[in-house]
Amino acid sequence: MAENTGAPFISVRDLCKAYRMGTETVVALRKVNLTVMRGEICCIFGASGSGKSTLLNMLAGMEPPSKGEIIIDGNNITAMSENELAAFRQKNVGFVFQAYNLLPMLTAVENVAMPLAFCGVDRQQREAAAKAVLKAVGLGDRLNHYPTQMSGGQQQRTGIARAFVTKPKLIFADEPTGNLDSKTTIDIMKMMLGFARKYNETMIIVTHNPELAVYADRIITLKDGEIISDERNKSIYERKEIKQ
């Protein structure tokens, strides 16, 4: 578990988001205040419509807030331009998606190497790094397979390799096991938390599934756009029965 020392890695201050839908205003977030320390594994938990996906989009700089600000590692991302946000994400952020989001025309190695290409790493180096991390997630025999030639679990392992290949400071995992069976879910969660712990990376998991929430150091529950609880948790990852 991360030690809560020093300045917060993420600070969310009075964050609000409202949408216009016809003649009505829909409030998705209501004055959300939140701090996350470096290396923490946090779960943003809530039912559909609670505002958790909106909060994720704000934290990732994919959507601007109506009010408030977000500071990540000393950077006010709410004051950045689109180009600045894109550069910030390339340098600092990895994503794991429910639907994998792999490019079907690229092999596993090519999919995983893509973030390194955006960072200007030459082809030989990025392919070597992609192969190494794919082997680390157990896909050494699937390096040249296309997504359609892999199972859902293998595709998500590829997605994890892609998210972690740049060793980003921050990982967003949006319902990362929503399309997987229970056994594969455990494998995937162990894998993600293992990487995050190894590199002291901060991870934000967004889910409606309480079985995923128990992997986090903190469970932050949203309802109707507001935080209704913020509880520390003994991550199941630390428990002996699932240790690798």
Side-chain angles (χ1 to χ4, degrees):
M1 186 178 295
E3 294 184 9
N4 291 345
T5 58
F9 181 67
I10 300 174
S11 294
V12 177
R13 302 170 184 167
D14 295 329
L15 199 67
C16 300
K17 183 64 178 182
Y19 300 93
R20 292 288 297 175
M21 295 188 67
T23 59
E24 295 186 2
T25 299
V26 177
V27 179
L29 293 177
R30 306 168 187 269
K31 275 201 167 185
V32 170
N33 288 279
L34 177 66
T35 60
V36 178
M37 306 307 291
R38 185 182 300 276
E40 273 194 311
I41 311 295
C42 293
C43 175
I44 299 173
F45 178 77
S48 177
S50 62
K52 63 185 187 299
S53 294
T54 300
L55 180 54
L56 172 67
N57 288 340
M58 304 281 143
L59 292 172
M62 307 296 288
E63 201 172 331
S66 300
K67 294 180 181 178
E69 65 178 11
I70 299 167
I71 311 294
I72 299 179
D73 199 23
N75 300 278
N76 184 350
I77 69 166
T78 47
M80 291 182 180
S81 67
E82 287 297 322
N83 287 341
E84 289 170 334
L85 282 167
F88 179 82
R89 284 192 293 267
Q90 286 175 12
K91 183 178 179 182
N92 297 286
V93 181
F95 293 91
V96 180
F97 303 96
Q98 177 179 352
Y100 320 134
N101 285 23
L102 302 176
L103 294 179
M105 73 291 296
L106 299 183
T107 64
V109 166
E110 291 167 338
N111 267 288
V112 173
M114 190 163 43
L116 293 169
F118 292 142
C119 293
V121 178
D122 70 61
R123 181 174 179 176
Q124 187 174 1
Q125 284 183 296
R126 65 180 184 254
E127 288 190 354
K131 289 176 181 177
V133 73
L134 281 165
K135 289 175 182 176
V137 300
L139 292 178
D141 60 344
R142 294 288 188 274
L143 301 178
N144 297 312
H145 282 58
Y146 293 92
T148 54
Q149 298 172 314
M150 294 187 283
S151 68
Q154 290 168 343
Q155 289 185 66
Q156 192 58 299
R157 286 170 183 254
T158 305
I160 290 169
R162 178 185 57 193
F164 284 92
V165 71
T166 61
K167 296 184 175 64
K169 296 177 181 178
L170 178 59
I171 296 287
F172 292 112
D174 186 7
E175 297 286 4
T177 64
N179 292 334
L180 305 174
D181 60 53
S182 57
K183 181 184 182 304
T184 307
T185 290
I186 293 172
D187 292 341
I188 292 300
M189 293 304 295
K190 285 170 62 178
M191 195 172 296
M192 286 199 301
L193 268 71
F195 277 122
R197 291 289 195 237
K198 181 176 181 179
Y199 299 113
N200 194 35
E201 293 163 318
T202 306
M203 183 184 296
I204 307 294
I205 303 166
V206 175
T207 188
H208 68 279
N209 185 351
E211 294 181 2
L212 261 62
V214 296
Y215 285 86
D217 300 325
R218 285 168 65 194
I219 303 172
I220 301 157
T221 303
L222 284 171
K223 183 177 181 181
D224 298 329
E226 297 180 283
I227 294 176
I228 60 170
S229 70
D230 183 348
E231 300 177 344
R232 300 210 65 81
N233 177 62
K234 175 68 172 178
S235 171
I236 195 172
Y237 179 79
E238 262 68 46
R239 300 179 194 175
K240 187 180 294 184
E241 63 265 27
I242 74 156
K243 278 286 189 181
Q244 295 186 26

